[in-house]
């Protein structure tokens, strides 16, 4: 008779260096290694170490923790990081990923005021993806809201499934802020889902990035579905720990997020035992 066994998918669980902010990129490597993460995703931003390929390689080697993904500098606060030209930013992110052995570059859709970049974005990302083995995984965003007003800040669209990309990143905190359905978005991404930013949210106007299980998003169900479908990309813990009162409290949050993710990635499967 078939007995249930635990099947662990090939997906690796990584820690985003953004998850330790306001502590440093270097701290993220140390924390990921100590807690047993499979790797890190480097958020390229104002921390000089996050922009320095040689420094990142030294951290990776010292802590014996691989760099699995590079998040291109797409935020408002990183408009001058790695050039003011958004295409140069993506070229440098691709080069960084190739030099560091990372398989994925995460990129946001353009802001609407980046008009030329937005017009060329879909075709340009395809062209860049054709020139490398690194995945360019375009991330879902959300409308910006203030009270009862809504502004569409991203182009061609915050819902990246409306456009033709080779790979997607799904971010569950962004899904919550957009007030859309995570499982429906997962279905629309289908086999083009290449990367996951795991965090929770409760539908606030602000992008919350809560520890998984502390909001209203179906984080557990998403992970279980990924396991059933044999997802082989990376699941990255990208949570906001700024309110942690100490390094120990921050580390406890990141340990909880890792335990939650590993638990729900382990799915029951029926196999025959002779």
């Amino acid at each position: 008779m078939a007995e249930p066994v635990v099947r662990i998918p090939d997906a690796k669980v990584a820690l985003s260096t953004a998850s330790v902010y306001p502590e440093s990129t270097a701290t993220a490597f140390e924390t990921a290694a100590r807690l047993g993460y499979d790797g890190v995703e480097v958020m390229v931003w104002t921390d000089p170490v996050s922009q320095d390929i040689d420094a990142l390689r030294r951290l990776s080697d010292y802590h014996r923790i691989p760099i699995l993904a590079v998040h291109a500098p797409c935020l408002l606060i990183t408009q001058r990081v790695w050039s003011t030209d958004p295409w140069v930013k993506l070229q440098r992110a691709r080069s960084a990923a190739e030099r560091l052995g990372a398989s994925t570059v995460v990129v946001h859709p353009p802001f609407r005021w980046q008009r030329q970049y937005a017009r060329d974005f879909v075709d340009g990302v395809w062209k860049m993806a054709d020139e490398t083995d690194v995945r360019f995984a375009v991330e879902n965003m959300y409308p910006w809201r203030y009270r009862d007003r809504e502004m569409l800040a991203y182009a061609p669209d915050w819902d990246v499934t409306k456009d033709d990309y080779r790979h997607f990143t799904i971010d569950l905190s962004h899904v919550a802020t957009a007030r859309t359905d995570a499982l429906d978005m997962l279905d629309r991404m289908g086999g083009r889902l290449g990367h996951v930013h795991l965090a929770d949210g409760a539908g606030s106007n602000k992008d919350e990035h809560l520890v998984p299980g502390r909001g209203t998003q179906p984080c557990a169900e998403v992970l279980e579905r990924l396991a059933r479908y044999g997802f082989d990309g990376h699941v990255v813990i990208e949570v906001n720990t700024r309110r942690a009162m100490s390094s120990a409290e921050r580390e406890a949050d990141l340990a909880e997020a890792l335990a939650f993710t590993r638990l729900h990635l382990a799915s029951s499967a029926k196999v025959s035992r002779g």
Side-chain angles (χ1 to χ4, degrees):
M1 178 183 293
E3 298 177 4
V5 297
V6 173
R7 174 172 58 86
I8 307 297
D10 294 333
K12 293 181 178 179
V13 183
L15 178 67
S16 168
T17 58
S19 294
V20 304
Y21 183 83
E23 296 195 62
S24 67
T25 299
T27 298
F29 278 82
E30 180 184 353
T31 302
R34 184 164 54 246
L35 294 180
Y37 279 82
D38 297 319
V40 300
E41 174 178 301
V42 174
M43 171 70 81
V44 180
W45 57 3
T46 53
D47 182 346
V49 171
S50 74
Q51 305 168 32
D52 186 328
I53 307 307
D54 292 332
L56 292 169
R57 185 183 289 115
R58 287 194 295 271
L59 283 169
S60 178
D61 291 344
Y62 179 78
H63 292 289
R64 298 182 181 181
I65 192 88
I67 297 169
L68 301 179
V70 173
H71 195 310
C74 304
L75 305 174
L76 286 172
I77 63 169
T78 59
Q79 289 183 87
R80 296 187 176 277
V81 173
W82 282 358
S83 171
T84 56
D85 183 331
W87 289 115
V88 172
K89 291 175 185 284
L90 293 195
Q91 289 163 0
R92 291 190 64 171
R94 178 184 64 192
S95 176
E98 290 169 344
R99 291 173 60 189
L100 294 167
S103 63
T104 303
V105 167
V106 178
V107 58
H108 293 179
F111 294 112
R112 296 186 76 85
W113 55 84
Q114 297 174 299
R115 293 179 182 174
Q116 186 61 51
Y117 179 48
R119 277 195 295 269
D120 298 338
F121 184 70
V122 178
D123 290 340
V125 169
W126 268 100
K127 182 179 178 182
M128 293 189 75
D130 284 338
E131 297 169 349
T132 181
D133 291 332
V134 173
R135 291 177 173 180
F136 276 85
V138 186
E139 184 173 3
N140 63 296
M141 298 305 291
Y142 47 85
W144 289 4
R145 296 189 184 90
Y146 179 71
R147 295 182 179 171
D148 295 329
R149 303 178 115 184
E150 184 174 288
M151 182 176 84
L152 300 178
Y154 299 97
D157 203 285
W158 64 263
D159 182 352
V160 293
T161 64
K162 293 182 179 179
D163 292 288
D164 181 27
Y165 300 109
R166 181 173 293 171
H167 291 109
F168 295 114
T169 296
I170 189 169
D171 184 304
L172 297 188
S173 178
H174 295 175
V175 170
T177 306
R179 299 171 190 165
T180 190
D181 187 293
L183 297 176
D184 182 56
M185 178 167 282
L186 198 68
D187 287 340
R188 295 200 306 276
M189 290 181 172
R192 291 182 291 169
L193 177 66
H195 201 68
V196 175
H197 279 169
L198 190 68
D200 216 329
S204 164
N205 286 350
K206 295 182 179 180
D207 185 18
E208 297 171 288
H209 283 273
L210 305 176
V211 171
R214 298 185 186 177
T216 60
Q217 292 305 294
C219 296
E221 191 170 351
V222 166
L223 291 169
E224 289 160 6
R225 186 174 294 192
L226 294 177
R228 286 199 304 273
Y229 295 164
F231 177 70
D232 63 354
H234 306 317
V235 178
V236 178
I237 303 301
E238 191 184 71
V239 295
N240 184 345
T241 62
R242 293 177 207 177
R243 293 187 178 181
M245 300 301 292
S246 65
S247 295
E249 184 177 329
R250 175 174 292 108
E251 191 162 308
D253 284 345
L254 298 177
E256 178 184 329
L258 177 61
F260 179 100
T261 304
R262 293 213 190 279
L263 172 65
H264 293 288
L265 275 176
S267 64
S268 249
K270 297 277 188 178
V271 299
S272 173
R273 293 194 181 275

